[in-house]
């Protein structure tokens, strides 16, 4: 029995032992069936199957008790959202989105603490949807903070929620520009962290920020180049939704079904230029995938590689980095590669070896062009250059024909003149001959 199947069995056994049986939110039940989600739980539990099963049960119970699926902009404190206490911007060196807590925006006793907690959960749920379960980096911006900006109860709540109910969701925890006066408080917070989280904890200043976040991804206030000013943008639940008919160019024998199959459509939503790709493993076995582009300096691809169980789909977010506009995508191409692998929990060294040793016949390739969505909802394809070449060629051909016509017209006029002169001479000759014939 696989570890994932064992987790499900232990979880169901625990549920069945409780009388009456707990009723969880039906919207969360797909998590139990998802191999990807269970793999996250297993990794979070340090590969301990029993702990993973217990964590899965606790997640389901907590989500039901707190009505997590119902938390939205309609029932949280909008003032807290608009204050910018929490927001997202930029990515770390691993392409993980930065989930930022602007600590200066929090003033003790100024906001209802329960309301702040609810907004925190709102953001976690939103990030789960927008990032497709990919890890994020928790960034505490402590620059200029004082005692009134520090609430140990809030910090301990945030750490506990992430530790217990959002498995394998955090890449780094970055404490930026922490004032010395708050260092004692953060030592207490550090003690709450599990050992794996402590390994990912970074306390840094502006000089060291570039080791974790590229200057192009860092705000100007951090010493970076991004001059972004916070403005709350409501979540669009339809971002990246791709509607594909049954005939979506998938062919039997291919490892992946790609949606969209041929052209990535980029559009501007809020402050972000992005597109979304959905890949589905159509094999009966496990496959690994990776995504390449002709312009890696222009994009963040999340995730850019991974492993998919059979019949499982994965959303891939492709985001244009700050500094590039919508028109910059027009010449770019994307390549998706896939290969069969023996198991889900493969070390990176083994996975690299599989990619290296796999022959071309073992790897499927899927190529996509790019398009941009303009205001009138039409699509401007990246083949613009080709169209320009066609138009140029047509213009050249038209000019050639026109020149030929002009030359023809000149010759035609000359021929008409010659023929007219010839006819005139013939008439004169005929008249003279006629006179000679009638003379007595």
């Amino acid at each position: 029995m696989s570890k994932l199947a064992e987790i499900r069995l232990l979880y169901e056994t625990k549920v069945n032992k409780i009388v009456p049986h707990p009723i969880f939110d039906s919207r969360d039940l797909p998590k139990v069936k998802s191999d990807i989600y269970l793999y996250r739980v297993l990794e979070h539990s340090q590969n301990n199957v029993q702990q993973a099963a217990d964590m899965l049960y606790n997640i389901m119970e907590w989500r039901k008790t707190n009505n997590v699926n119902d938390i939205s902009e309609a029932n949280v404190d909008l003032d807290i959202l608009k204050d910018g206490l929490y927001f997202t911007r930029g990515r770390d060196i691993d392409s993980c989105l930065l989930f930022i807590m602007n600590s200066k925006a929090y003033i003790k006793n100024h906001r209802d603490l329960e309301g702040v907690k609810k907004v925190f959960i709102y953001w976690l749920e939103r990030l789960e949807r927008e990032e497709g379960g990919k890890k994020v980096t928790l960034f505490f911006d402590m620059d200029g903070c004082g005692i009134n900006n520090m609430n140990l109860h809030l910090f301990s709540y945030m750490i506990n929620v992430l530790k217990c109910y959002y498995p394998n969701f955090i890449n780094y925890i970055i404490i930026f520009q922490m004032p010395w006066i708050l260092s004692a408080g953060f030592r207490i917070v550090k003690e709450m962290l599990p050992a794996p989280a402590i390994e990912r904890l970074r306390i840094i200043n502006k000089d060291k920020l570039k080791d974790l976040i590229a200057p192009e991804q860092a705000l100007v206030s951090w010493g970076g180049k991004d001059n972004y000013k916070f403005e709350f943008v409501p979540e669009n639940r339809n971002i990246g939704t791709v509607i594909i008919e049954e005939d979506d160019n998938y062919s039997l024998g291919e490892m992946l079904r790609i949606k969209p199959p041929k052209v990535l459509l980029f559009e501007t939503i809020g402050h972000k230029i992005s597109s979304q790709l959905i890949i589905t493993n159509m094999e009966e076995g496990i496959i690994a995938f990776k995504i390449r582009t002709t312009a890696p300096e222009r994009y963040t691809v999340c995730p850019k590689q991974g492993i998919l169980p059979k019949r499982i789909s994965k959303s891939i977010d492709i985001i244009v980095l700050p500094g590039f506009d919508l028109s910059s995508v027009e010449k770019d191409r994307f390549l998706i590669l896939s290969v069969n692998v023996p198991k889900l929990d493969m070390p990176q060294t083994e996975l690299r070896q599989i990619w290296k040793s796999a022959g071309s016949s073992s790897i499927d390739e899927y190529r996509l062009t790019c398009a941009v969505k303009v205001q009138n909802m039409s699509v401007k394809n990246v083949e613009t250059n080709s169209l320009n070449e066609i138009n140029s060629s047509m213009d050249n051909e038209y000019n050639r024909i026109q020149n030929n016509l002009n030359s023809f017209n000149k010759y035609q006029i000359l021929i008409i003149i010659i023929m007219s002169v010839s006819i005139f001479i013939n008439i004169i000759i005929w008249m003279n001959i006629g006179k000679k014939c009638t003379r007595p």
Side-chain angles (χ1 to χ4, degrees):
M1 180 184 295
S2 70
K3 287 187 176 182
L4 300 187
E6 194 174 350
I7 292 171
R8 289 191 183 96
L9 179 61
L10 291 171
Y11 163 80
E12 291 168 2
T13 301
K14 184 170 184 175
V15 170
N16 292 330
K17 280 183 178 179
I18 299 174
V19 180
H21 295 331
I23 300 175
F24 298 134
D25 193 322
S26 60
R27 290 168 290 184
D28 289 325
L29 296 181
K31 295 180 185 297
V32 181
K33 299 177 181 179
S34 168
D35 285 355
I36 291 177
Y37 190 80
L38 289 193
Y39 186 63
R40 284 175 57 186
V41 175
L42 184 61
E43 278 194 316
H44 192 91
S45 304
Q46 300 296 292
N47 221 30
N48 185 306
V49 172
Q50 183 62 60
Q51 289 182 14
D54 291 340
M55 182 180 189
L56 181 61
Y57 180 90
N58 293 337
I59 289 170
M60 302 294 283
E61 185 178 48
W62 176 79
R63 293 180 66 85
K64 172 66 175 178
T65 302
N66 292 277
N67 298 313
V68 172
N69 288 308
D70 295 322
I71 294 176
S72 68
E73 292 151 20
N75 53 33
V76 299
D77 190 332
L78 283 177
D79 289 336
I80 299 175
L81 285 177
K82 293 178 180 179
D83 278 350
L85 173 60
Y86 300 107
F87 65 98
T88 61
R89 184 69 179 179
R91 293 184 180 269
D92 66 17
I93 55 174
D94 297 324
S95 297
C96 295
L97 186 66
L98 301 180
F99 178 33
I100 302 159
M101 180 178 181
N102 179 19
S103 300
K104 283 190 296 186
Y106 177 80
I107 301 174
K108 196 182 299 183
N109 301 323
H110 181 66
R111 294 287 186 196
D112 173 50
L113 184 57
E114 295 305 312
V116 174
K117 291 178 181 178
K118 195 171 183 179
V119 168
F120 177 67
I121 295 174
Y122 159 83
W123 272 109
L124 293 180
E125 289 297 296
R126 177 171 173 171
L127 290 173
E128 280 274 12
R129 289 187 289 268
E130 293 182 343
E131 294 296 294
K134 187 179 184 295
K135 290 182 179 182
V136 300
T137 283
L138 186 58
F139 188 99
F140 291 95
D141 185 355
M142 306 293 295
D143 194 17
C145 288
I147 294 294
N148 285 335
N149 304 117
M150 181 82 172
N151 187 322
L152 284 178
H153 180 72
L154 175 60
F155 282 114
S156 63
Y157 174 81
M158 292 168 58
I159 296 299
N160 187 64
V161 165
L162 290 167
K163 180 172 68 174
C164 298
Y165 308 119
Y166 288 86
N168 207 31
F169 194 46
I170 297 299
N171 190 40
Y172 289 108
I173 300 174
I174 298 176
I175 313 296
F176 178 69
Q177 294 286 99
M178 183 175 66
W180 67 268
I181 197 171
L182 301 180
S183 57
F186 260 94
R187 278 198 294 271
I188 297 173
V189 173
K190 185 176 179 180
E191 291 175 0
M192 302 174 188
L193 296 172
I198 292 176
E199 293 176 3
R200 308 297 287 176
L201 178 65
R202 301 290 186 272
I203 300 176
I204 60 173
N205 54 26
K206 289 184 179 181
D207 294 336
K208 297 294 184 181
L209 183 64
K210 62 181 180 297
D211 296 338
L212 294 171
I213 302 171
E216 293 77 15
Q217 297 290 311
L219 299 181
V220 170
S221 60
W222 305 343
K225 298 180 179 180
D226 185 2
N227 59 3
Y228 168 75
K229 301 298 182 184
F230 171 76
E231 178 185 357
F232 176 70
V233 178
E235 181 183 9
N236 184 349
R237 291 290 187 95
N238 295 320
I239 289 177
T241 299
V242 182
I243 301 174
I244 302 291
E245 302 297 330
E246 289 187 6
D247 180 17
D248 58 2
N249 291 336
Y250 168 72
S251 300
L252 289 175
E254 292 181 339
M255 294 184 196
L256 297 177
R257 181 176 63 190
I258 309 293
K259 298 182 180 181
K262 297 295 182 184
V263 180
L264 283 171
L265 180 61
F266 284 82
E267 59 181 322
T268 302
I269 300 175
H271 298 282
K272 183 171 68 173
I273 303 172
S274 64
S275 182
Q276 189 181 67
L277 177 68
I278 300 176
I279 61 175
T280 303
N281 178 7
M282 304 301 289
E283 295 279 284
E284 290 302 317
I286 302 166
I287 65 104
F289 70 89
K290 57 183 176 181
I291 301 173
R292 295 174 177 172
T293 176
T294 54
E297 75 284 354
R298 204 183 333 265
Y299 300 95
T300 291
V301 181
C302 305
K304 59 185 175 183
Q305 60 183 358
I307 296 178
L308 283 177
K310 66 177 182 180
R311 304 295 173 178
I312 293 296
S313 297
K314 183 70 175 176
S315 295
I316 311 294
D317 287 320
I318 302 173
I319 301 168
V320 179
L321 294 172
F324 298 98
D325 58 26
L326 192 58
S327 63
S328 65
V329 308
E330 294 183 349
K331 298 179 181 179
D332 299 333
R333 303 288 188 274
F334 283 82
L335 173 66
I336 304 168
L337 304 170
S338 63
V339 67
N340 289 107
V341 294
K343 56 185 179 179
L344 276 172
D345 50 343
M346 289 196 67
Q348 285 297 313
T349 51
E350 290 184 25
L351 189 56
R352 281 195 293 268
Q353 186 58 39
I354 287 177
W355 282 112
K356 186 177 179 180
S357 59
S360 58
S361 60
S362 303
I363 297 176
D364 275 7
E365 295 185 355
Y366 308 85
R367 301 175 189 277
L368 290 90
T369 58
C370 301
V372 297
K373 191 172 184 178
V374 293
Q375 292 299 321
N376 61 2
M377 301 301 289
S378 64
V379 175
K380 180 182 177 184
N381 200 294
V382 295
E383 303 299 334
T384 304
N385 290 337
S386 299
L387 291 174
N388 288 339
E389 291 174 4
I390 293 171
N391 289 336
S392 177
S393 177
M394 291 177 66
D395 288 340
N396 292 336
E397 184 67 13
Y398 173 81
N399 291 333
R400 186 184 66 81
I401 294 172
Q402 188 66 42
N403 290 335
N404 289 342
L405 287 174
N406 291 338
S407 299
F408 176 77
N409 289 337
K410 292 176 182 177
Y411 290 129
Q412 190 177 40
I413 292 171
L414 181 60
I415 291 171
I416 291 172
I417 292 173
I418 293 172
M419 289 180 64
S420 299
V421 171
S422 176
I423 292 170
F424 179 75
I425 293 172
N426 286 331
I427 290 173
I428 293 175
I429 293 172
W430 180 81
M431 289 177 66
N432 289 332
I433 293 174
K435 289 179 180 179
K436 291 179 181 180
C437 292
T438 56
R439 188 175 297 173

